Amino acid sequence: MSDAFIFDHVRTPRGRGKKDGGLHQAAPIWLLRTLLQALQQRSGLDTALVDDVVLGCVTPVGEQGADIARSAVLDAEWAQTVAGVTQSRFCASGLESVNLAAAKVKSGWEDLVVAGGVESMSRWPMGSDGGAWVMDPRVNQKTGFVPQGVGADLIATIEGFTRADVDAFALRSHRRAAAARAAGHFERSVVPVQDIAGMTMLAQDETIRVDATPEAMAKLQPSFAAIGQMGFDATALRRYTTVERIEHVHHAGNSSGIVDGAALMLVGNAEGGRKAGLKARARIRTAAVIGSEPTIMLTGPTPACEKLLVRAGMAASDIDLWEVNEAFAAVPMKTARDLGIDLERVNVNGGAIAMGHPLGATGCVILGTLLDELERRNLATGIATLCVGGGMGIATLIERV
């Protein structure tokens, strides 16, 4: 089998996922067009050498529907021989795209693949595509569905994370992200989005709160207590009979932000890189996905990482840096506790609590952030992992070359 290397990655800034957000006026295909053209221009890439574009999109409807990957290839004026496919593994879709690209390359079937994802959450809100899991009462009841926020609060309750604990983690995310942006740590990979007239729409992540304080955080009301009282708490407690009541500690300030954004990564084998004149930055060592309990839904990162580490013949202590998606504060906190990881090695430049979670793109975003930081610190190995809707987990291990 061939090695799968990462040659380059780019992302848009993440714009607030509302009508007044910096990227609301940019159609999702415009975000992808911007990145495809940037990826081509940065290295003088002959796009005819690229076999496929694999994109994640969690809500593939409207402008994001009808295989936006292929549409974006054509809109960006890449070689028409480049194929495109769009897939969804819920909020792990961006990382799943990279893993699929790596598998294609490692199999020997393809030499160069672009992977990533897009989500315009201000234009197509989460859940716009429906689905039996949330819309069919029979399936809903059978699977014990509860909204993710209730699951996050249940994790916090079981783990003993207090409101002060999760708020402190969220505050650290904002402070780390603000410091990283100020120091220019994101500049290599972030591509400003311009409109058709060449005017800049957004040049940097929009939701980082440089003025975040514990006092302001403490004033925010829990976001999921009301829907818990509507019956979702009772559904969760029927599964977790040792829990007396759920403490609702998550809110808008310690949960991932709703944003617009896109990300791309160029993956290939040594021969593909040689033909394109590219220098490998990292090797994708291995990846793993697992299914986890679907009511609590958010505990997948730990078993996914454990499966990955066994496959790689490594221990958690061997990994230099970690990116654990901050869907809710309790998720990376629990993952770090489970794996015995020092939080000083987790999300060192902040995460989705500060910068947002553009669902279909996030996995690719955090893997790219991980690579940039490994290079900046001259470290070797890193793991990116996410909890996934429906009760799943995903993890990817990269090693600098």
Side-chain angles (χ1 to χ4, degrees), residues 145-358:
F145 167 80
V146 303
Q148 289 188 351
V150 174
D153 287 338
L154 177 55
I155 289 172
T157 302
I158 293 171
E159 295 292 326
F161 298 145
T162 66
R163 169 68 183 264
D165 293 333
V166 291
D167 281 0
F169 183 92
L171 188 63
R172 177 166 48 188
S173 181
H174 281 283
R175 288 176 174 170
R176 287 180 171 181
R181 184 176 65 184
H185 294 174
F186 303 136
E187 290 179 0
R188 178 175 183 178
S189 302
V190 172
V191 177
V193 177
Q194 298 178 336
D195 64 17
I196 198 167
M199 301 293 291
T200 298
M201 304 175 72
L202 190 65
Q204 61 182 12
D205 297 313
E206 193 172 24
T207 61
I208 301 172
R209 294 294 301 272
V210 297
D211 58 347
T213 65
E215 293 75 21
M217 200 81 71
K219 292 178 181 178
L220 297 173
Q221 296 298 310
S223 297
F224 308 104
I227 59 173
Q229 292 173 0
M230 292 167 54
F232 288 116
D233 278 6
T235 298
L237 293 176
R238 281 196 293 272
R239 287 281 178 96
Y240 292 85
T241 56
T242 59
V243 179
E244 183 177 346
R245 64 187 298 270
I246 297 174
E247 299 293 335
H248 290 285
V249 297
H250 288 91
H251 51 74
N254 57 34
S255 306
S256 56
I258 294 172
V259 293
D260 302 333
L264 296 178
M265 187 167 282
L266 182 56
V267 178
N269 58 26
E271 179 64 12
R274 186 192 64 78
K275 288 181 179 178
L278 301 168
K279 181 180 179 181
R281 296 173 60 186
R283 176 186 295 106
I284 300 174
R285 284 274 304 272
T286 190
V289 291
I290 59 92
S292 61
E293 200 281 299
T295 294
I296 206 166
M297 201 185 307
L298 307 172
T299 56
T302 295
C305 289
E306 291 172 338
K307 181 178 180 180
L308 177 85
L309 289 166
V310 169
R311 182 170 293 159
M314 302 175 74
S317 58
D318 297 326
I319 306 303
D320 294 316
L321 291 177
W322 297 75
E323 285 287 327
V324 185
N325 188 42
E326 296 174 357
F328 302 89
V331 174
M333 291 171 68
K334 173 177 170 53
T335 304
R337 174 183 283 182
D338 289 345
L339 297 173
I341 307 166
D342 187 340
L343 283 173
E344 292 305 308
R345 293 192 289 142
V346 177
N347 302 355
V348 296
N349 289 324
I353 288 173
M355 293 174 283
H357 180 14

Side-chain angles (χ1 to χ4, degrees), residues 6-10 35-50 78 112 114 188 191 265-267 272-281:
I6 300 171
F7 295 108
D8 200 6
H9 73 91
V10 290
L35 294 185
L36 285 166
Q37 292 182 342
L39 199 61
Q40 178 183 7
Q41 293 163 5
R42 281 159 66 107
S43 59
L45 176 66
D46 177 0
T47 62
L49 296 173
V50 177
W78 276 35
L112 281 179
V114 172
R188 178 175 183 178
V191 177
M265 187 167 282
L266 182 56
V267 178
R274 186 192 64 78
K275 288 181 179 178
L278 301 168
K279 181 180 179 181
R281 296 173 60 186

